[in-house]
Amino acid sequence: MKPTAINTSSAALQSKPALVPTNSVSTKDGFSVRARIDPTLMSIPHPCQPVADVIRQLCSNLKVADHPALYALRDEHDVLITDTNLRKAIKDKVNLKLVNSPVVEVVDIMEKLSGREEKSLKLALFSLQKYIQEDQFAGEFLKRGGLAELLNVIGVSHGNTLAYALKALQNLMSLDYGWSNIPTPFISTLIEILAKPKNLVNVCRPATSILKRLVEADPRFATEADFVGVNKSAQSVAGPSNSKTSSGGKNPPSIKPGMKPLSEGIWNYGFDLIFDLMKAQDEGELGPNTGERPIKVLETVVKRLSSGDSMMAMDSMLLINSLLKNATDTQWQELADQLERLNLRKAVIRLTSLTTSEELNSSTLEFQANLMSFAYRRKNTPIDLSSPSVRNTLDIIWAAAKLPQPEATTPTRNTPRSSPKVRTGWQDFGSGDGILYEEPDADHPTWVKLGFDSENLRTEFARVGLLGLDCLRALATAWADYFQEIVLEQLSRPPERRCPVAKASNEIVELLSEHYRLFAPSSLLLILPSGAQPGPEVLFTVWLAFVRVCMIPDHKNSVWDEIGAAASDFSRVAALAQSQINYALRDETRPWHEVEHDFLESEYREVRERQMRELEQQDDLLSKPPVRTLRAKLYKDSFEFIRSQRIQCLTQGAWFVNGIPAPLTGAGSSRESVSLKRNTRPWKFLRLASIDKSMRYLHFVDSVVKIPIRNGLDDLPERIDASLILEVITRTSAIPPNIHPGSMSPSDIPTTGSPLIASPLSFSLLSTRGGSLADLVAENSTVFSDWIDGFNMLQGDHFTTKETAEFVQSLTEIGLKIKLLDLSGEKVDIPDALNPPTLPSTTDFFFADYD
């Protein structure tokens, strides 16, 4: 089991039988030798360390004077040969190089980092970018205080040197250990670098990725297994806790103020820390921020969405998505206000109109899902009339309606001295938070004039929360002329014949929330009609249809006279609006002008007839609030069931074709051109390891033909670290010539010389370290759907294929019908609404004991 340097002299060939060399090994001096590494190393685990034994034999045969521990083996691409990949290197007969060991490289790089000589420093940082992702190198680098030294270099560098240093830190942070002790002042420095709009792109890109990684390293998402695994890695990096010197004889790096011990893991940062530092950096540079001024670093990141460098725009998009996804309950509202003030949605729309890469499309869909998740939060957040932002919004709405100012009233004894005598429109009473405002005055109504049923705004916005208030403000400001016209026109009518304008806005918010399944934002796939903006455009058009078409007599398609509508018929008009929403928004591929026409130009009779057909197919029972709540719960249960099924498909495994990466179009594409040489093993079998709960590794084997694969992992010698999968993108690969996946007709099978066309069943696993981990083509649409959404659900709670969406919907409907059959069999009457009972007048009561 020893490597042998083959002597190529004629005497040697005559004296002993020739051995077939397995690899070519070259030295630093340029000397090359053909060597045979015993193939038995490829089977049974070696009692020693195979790579160390190989290096020792090579040094002996080559008569190298230095100790073998100072050397290592790398392939021609500078990939370190370890006990894990030695087998593959022997099997593939790759050319090897005998080079300095990671320990020697670390010592050399550390010396150059501390020296600060510009040219040597750049070379050291360039090498550090490449080697830092190797566990052996990273362990030695961290043990010798490399992280602190690297952070010091970043703090004093600029230009390309700073770019190299940040890239090295970014690569280090792709590991799951070793960077738990990044001090808070350095993070502030990183934010300051990112906030400067004139910094180089190659500086901003790694800085953006580092900040994104820190946001995601949130203690809320760490599991016990994460800390156990990290502690083991950290102990191997830091060495015994009672040692006073490192193996190199130097003192261990001291923990500076703000730094954390290595054994605490990487989950020490998170959204709250990063967002607080963003605000602190902004206030330190520009002074106190009352919330009206955009945070500088956020403003710069949003502006970079319009960058001419597509990768810079992509990194900025990823950071924004990370902030939105990880925002905490205490600060998500402030983040939402900041991004809304920066017109983030318009910036994303401009970006998607200029770039059409698959990576950007995936990020855009994630951004829409994050927006809807924020909308869901706002919908469930009741309005607080003591909040300055809520007061300001209400004043803006009142001013937009241009209604007469309410008459001044004398403050009551319940009115605080600090409260003005007159409020422009809004009033509060019985707030329950220790603050009382003017009590409602029946002689001077205010909010009823805008179309509310009462002056109690908490009750009016109870169903739609802050989201309803936002939408009413959007209607009042973005379309001020329409809003003012409709409000004033309704005031000219008798109260019983008026259209409740504000109430209609809240109802539309509720209907659109139900249509877009806002109750399940984690699994939401929001696709708006072509040409529509997310939110405001759809909201305004539906509201205008609701108010103008259905409620105003002088409209050319008015239904007011046809149905003899009065204020009490609001629910009937709402039911018509719901039917029309489902019809007009039925297909996301329709142009926006067609959707707008369906809302504003449809005849009442046509809408009513369609609604009657729908009621014939669907029992009226389904529209009741308790049933809608039941549907939402069943939808979540169905989603979890499909999620477990999809992940189970990954653990069972499947055959795929090794696709040829097809050329991608679009300015935002980051995929590099690849060699189109024929793959000698066109088939790949993959299986997600299920031996532990983490499911961290994806095991596979490449084969010339499909062969029987036993259960377990014995037949799957190679593996992919699933934690390295950044995202899954589709339509990326072509089928190799003359390969028949099984589901294609013979006429569709590509032949030699035919152009590369991405298969609709192809997908790629993009790595966090750049490039693709695997380019695959599924045999049929079922396997494609199972694996695409299996990967997506393994990484998060979302799916992208139509098949999975239909499965979840079908299971929800079946479960709902079964539940309703049980209720109908027991003759249970489901009420339209559940009214809470009145509170007891006294506390003189007790709870019955039924034991």
Side-chain angles (χ1 to χ4, degrees):
M1 299 178 65
K2 296 179 181 180
T4 305
I6 304 299
N7 191 335
T8 58
S9 66
S10 59
L13 292 175
Q14 294 174 2
S15 61
K16 57 178 66 177
L19 297 176
V20 179
T22 58
N23 301 86
S24 175
V25 182
S26 60
T27 66
K28 295 185 293 183
D29 301 328
F31 181 72
S32 181
V33 63
R34 302 281 290 171
R36 174 180 175 80
I37 302 177
D38 197 331
T40 56
L41 287 172
M42 299 162 48
S43 55
I44 304 173
H46 199 263
C48 304
Q49 294 181 347
V51 174
D53 193 34
V54 168
I55 295 174
R56 181 177 60 81
Q57 291 295 325
L58 284 172
C59 291
S60 175
N61 291 343
L62 295 173
K63 302 190 182 305
V64 177
D66 296 330
H67 194 280
L70 300 178
Y71 291 91
L73 284 175
R74 295 185 181 274
D75 65 11
E76 51 194 356
H77 301 295
D78 278 340
V79 176
L80 183 67
I81 302 300
T82 64
D83 295 342
T84 303
N85 60 8
L86 175 62
R87 167 179 174 163
K88 189 176 188 316
I90 300 174
K91 180 180 178 181
D92 295 343
K93 298 182 178 181
V94 300
N95 297 327
L96 303 177
K97 298 184 294 185
L98 189 64
V99 297
N100 289 334
S101 69
V103 175
V104 176
E105 293 287 355
V106 168
V107 172
D108 181 58
I109 289 177
M110 288 292 295
E111 182 178 350
K112 294 177 180 177
L113 290 180
S114 59
R116 299 289 198 277
E117 197 277 320
E118 186 70 18
K119 184 176 180 181
S120 299
L121 183 59
K122 284 185 178 180
L123 293 175
L125 291 171
F126 190 79
S127 299
L128 185 60
Q129 294 179 39
K130 178 171 57 177
Y131 296 143
I132 195 63
Q133 298 180 81
E134 300 171 357
D135 286 333
Q136 292 184 15
F137 183 95
E140 193 66 29
F141 181 77
L142 294 168
K143 187 165 59 177
R144 293 175 180 269
L147 177 61
E149 194 66 43
L150 178 59
L151 298 184
N152 290 335
V153 170
I154 294 175
V156 298
S157 300
H158 59 276
N160 288 331
T161 304
L162 176 59
Y164 294 157
L166 288 171
K167 184 64 177 178
L169 180 59
Q170 177 190 351
N171 291 344
L172 171 62
M173 294 178 69
S174 65
L175 304 175
D176 58 0
Y177 62 89
W179 48 277
S180 63
N181 54 344
I182 296 179
T184 300
F186 172 80
I187 302 177
S188 298
T189 301
L190 185 69
I191 293 173
E192 184 178 355
I193 292 173
L194 198 59
K196 294 180 179 179
K198 294 184 179 180
N199 272 338
L200 298 174
V201 171
N202 59 347
V203 171
C204 296
R205 284 189 57 196
T208 303
S209 298
I210 292 171
L211 202 63
K212 171 181 176 291
R213 190 77 171 98
L214 292 172
V215 171
E216 294 170 349
D218 197 311
R220 294 175 297 157
F221 308 130
T223 62
E224 185 177 352
D226 293 323
F227 283 100
V228 171
V230 169
N231 285 338
K232 292 181 179 179
S233 300
Q235 290 171 6
S236 66
V237 169
S241 59
N242 60 352
S243 68
K244 297 183 179 180
T245 60
S246 65
S247 60
K250 297 182 180 180
N251 292 328
S254 60
I255 302 301
K256 297 182 178 181
M259 301 178 74
K260 304 176 180 64
L262 284 172
S263 59
E264 290 187 12
I266 63 173
W267 306 91
N268 299 323
Y269 310 100
F271 174 84
D272 280 339
L273 172 65
I274 303 304
F275 195 61
D276 286 341
L277 291 177
M278 284 182 175
K279 293 187 290 185
Q281 188 271 342
D282 179 79
E283 293 179 354
E285 184 173 342
L286 302 176
N289 191 346
T290 59
E292 297 300 323
R293 183 182 72 237
I295 297 176
K296 184 176 180 181
V297 64
L298 289 179
E299 184 178 15
T300 305
V301 170
V302 171
K303 287 181 178 179
R304 289 196 176 113
L305 292 177
S306 304
S307 170
D309 186 288
S310 59
M311 293 307 300
M312 182 71 259
M314 172 60 69
D315 289 338
S316 301
M317 189 73 187
L318 292 174
L319 174 58
I320 290 171
N321 276 335
S322 182
L323 290 169
L324 291 171
K325 185 176 182 179
N326 295 282
T328 58
D329 293 337
T330 56
Q331 301 200 82
W332 69 268
Q333 181 62 62
E334 185 175 0
L335 175 65
D337 293 341
Q338 285 284 338
L339 295 179
E340 186 67 24
R341 191 175 293 112
L342 293 169
N343 290 322
L344 174 60
R345 288 182 296 181
K346 291 184 179 179
V348 173
I349 292 173
R350 285 196 302 268
L351 177 61
T352 53
S353 65
L354 296 175
T355 309
T356 57
S357 68
E358 287 289 339
E359 295 94 333
L360 181 61
N361 290 339
S362 176
S363 296
T364 303
L365 289 176
E366 183 181 357
F367 171 73
Q368 288 188 345
N370 287 331
L371 280 188
M372 299 306 287
S373 179
F374 267 54
Y376 179 70
R377 282 182 168 186
R378 291 188 70 81
K379 185 174 183 292
N380 289 332
T381 303
I383 64 171
D384 179 10
L385 295 176
S386 65
S387 168
S389 61
V390 172
R391 297 181 189 178
N392 182 58
T393 299
L394 291 171
D395 286 339
I396 290 174
I397 294 171
W398 184 266
K402 296 185 177 179
L403 294 174
Q405 294 294 329
E407 297 180 7
T409 58
T410 303
T412 65
R413 59 186 182 129
N414 291 328
T415 306
R417 295 179 181 179
S418 58
S419 300
K421 293 183 179 181
V422 179
R423 284 284 179 188
T424 53
W426 68 271
Q427 299 181 42
D428 185 22
F429 61 96
S431 60
D433 51 13
I435 302 177
L436 295 177
Y437 299 102
E438 295 181 25
E439 296 180 358
D441 188 350
D443 297 330
H444 301 92
T446 55
W447 290 110
V448 173
K449 295 179 180 179
L450 279 181
F452 289 110
D453 289 338
S454 69
E455 300 293 334
N456 190 337
L457 294 183
R458 278 198 181 85
T459 301
E460 298 297 330
F461 286 99
R463 290 193 305 159
V464 293
L466 288 176
L467 179 62
L469 185 63
D470 293 340
C471 293
L472 185 58
R473 174 178 176 172
L475 294 175
T477 56
W479 294 276
D481 292 339
Y482 284 110
F483 187 79
Q484 177 191 357
E485 173 191 353
I486 293 174
V487 170
L488 294 179
E489 185 173 356
Q490 297 312 303
L491 284 178
S492 66
R493 304 184 180 280
E496 67 277 3
R497 302 291 293 176
R498 292 175 184 172
C499 163
V501 175
K503 185 178 179 181
S505 172
N506 287 349
E507 185 66 25
I508 294 302
V509 171
E510 184 70 20
L511 294 177
L512 288 175
S513 298
E514 184 174 348
H515 177 79
Y516 286 120
R517 301 189 179 279
L518 201 61
F519 52 79
S522 61
S523 59
L524 178 69
L525 181 62
L526 173 63
I527 303 178
L528 296 176
S530 176
Q533 295 184 14
E537 197 71 40
V538 178
L539 171 71
F540 172 69
T541 303
V542 181
W543 174 80
L544 190 61
F546 189 105
V547 176
R548 297 199 68 184
V549 178
C550 298
M551 307 298 287
I552 300 179
D554 61 356
H555 193 272
K556 66 177 182 179
N557 291 332
S558 173
V559 301
W560 188 268
D561 294 330
E562 294 193 51
I563 65 175
S568 59
D569 293 311
F570 182 85
S571 59
R572 297 173 59 188
V573 179
L576 287 173
Q578 181 179 26
S579 175
Q580 191 67 3
I581 286 174
N582 296 334
Y583 174 75
L585 300 178
R586 65 191 182 278
D587 185 2
E588 65 273 9
T589 62
R590 300 180 67 208
W592 175 245
H593 68 86
E594 294 184 8
V595 176
E596 195 172 28
H597 179 273
D598 285 342
F599 279 121
L600 301 180
E601 304 297 333
S602 295
E603 295 286 346
Y604 162 72
R605 293 185 181 277
E606 178 183 348
V607 178
R608 180 59 180 166
E609 289 174 0
R610 185 187 312 114
Q611 184 193 34
M612 292 301 296
R613 291 194 299 269
E614 292 173 355
L615 290 176
E616 292 176 358
Q617 299 173 2
Q618 184 178 17
D619 188 359
D620 185 56
L621 193 66
L622 301 181
S623 63
K624 296 185 177 182
V627 179
R628 286 189 293 182
T629 302
L630 176 61
R631 184 198 295 272
K633 179 180 182 301
L634 292 175
Y635 185 92
K636 294 179 180 179
D637 295 341
S638 301
F639 175 82
E640 288 300 324
F641 176 83
I642 294 297
R643 181 179 186 273
S644 62
Q645 185 271 334
R646 290 292 189 255
I647 295 178
Q648 182 65 26
C649 290
L650 269 61
T651 62
Q652 292 177 354
W655 281 101
F656 298 88
V657 174
N658 282 316
I660 301 176
L664 296 179
T665 59
S669 176
S670 63
R671 294 178 61 88
E672 301 175 355
S673 59
V674 297
S675 173
L676 301 182
K677 64 181 181 180
R678 180 180 178 85
N679 192 340
T680 58
R681 293 186 174 91
W683 292 95
K684 184 189 293 288
F685 185 92
L686 289 95
R687 175 178 292 156
L688 184 67
S690 58
I691 55 177
D692 55 50
K693 295 182 179 180
S694 64
M695 296 185 180
R696 179 174 178 180
Y697 293 104
L698 189 65
H699 294 255
F700 69 92
V701 64
D702 291 324
S703 177
V704 178
V705 296
K706 291 195 294 185
I707 58 176
I709 301 294
R710 294 173 295 176
N711 293 332
L713 305 176
D714 294 338
D715 294 339
L716 308 174
E718 301 180 52
R719 67 184 185 181
I720 297 173
D721 190 347
S723 65
L724 296 180
I725 300 177
L726 174 64
E727 63 177 338
V728 182
I729 61 175
T730 59
R731 290 182 176 269
T732 58
S733 307
I735 301 173
N738 303 318
I739 298 298
H740 193 290
S743 63
M744 298 180 60
S745 62
S747 60
D748 293 333
I749 301 173
T751 57
T752 303
S754 60
L756 288 178
I757 300 177
S759 169
L761 301 181
S762 63
F763 62 96
S764 295
L765 308 179
L766 297 188
S767 172
T768 57
R769 301 177 181 177
S772 174
L773 296 172
D775 300 299
L776 308 170
V777 181
E779 291 195 86
N780 52 60
S781 59
T782 301
V783 175
F784 176 82
S785 176
D786 289 346
W787 282 69
I788 287 292
D789 287 328
F791 281 123
N792 288 330
M793 293 175 171
L794 189 64
Q795 293 180 310
D797 293 332
H798 69 282
F799 52 78
T800 58
T801 64
K802 182 179 179 181
E803 290 82 355
T804 301
E806 291 176 349
F807 278 141
V808 174
Q809 186 64 28
S810 298
L811 283 178
T812 302
E813 296 301 326
I814 292 173
L816 182 62
K817 290 180 179 179
I818 292 175
K819 294 288 186 181
L820 294 180
L821 283 174
D822 292 340
L823 294 176
S824 62
E826 297 176 4
K827 297 183 179 180
V828 176
D829 184 23
I830 301 178
D832 292 333
L834 296 177
N835 298 320
T838 58
L839 295 176
S841 58
T842 68
T843 59
D844 187 17
F845 65 93
F846 63 91
F847 294 99
D849 187 0
Y850 293 101
D851 292 341

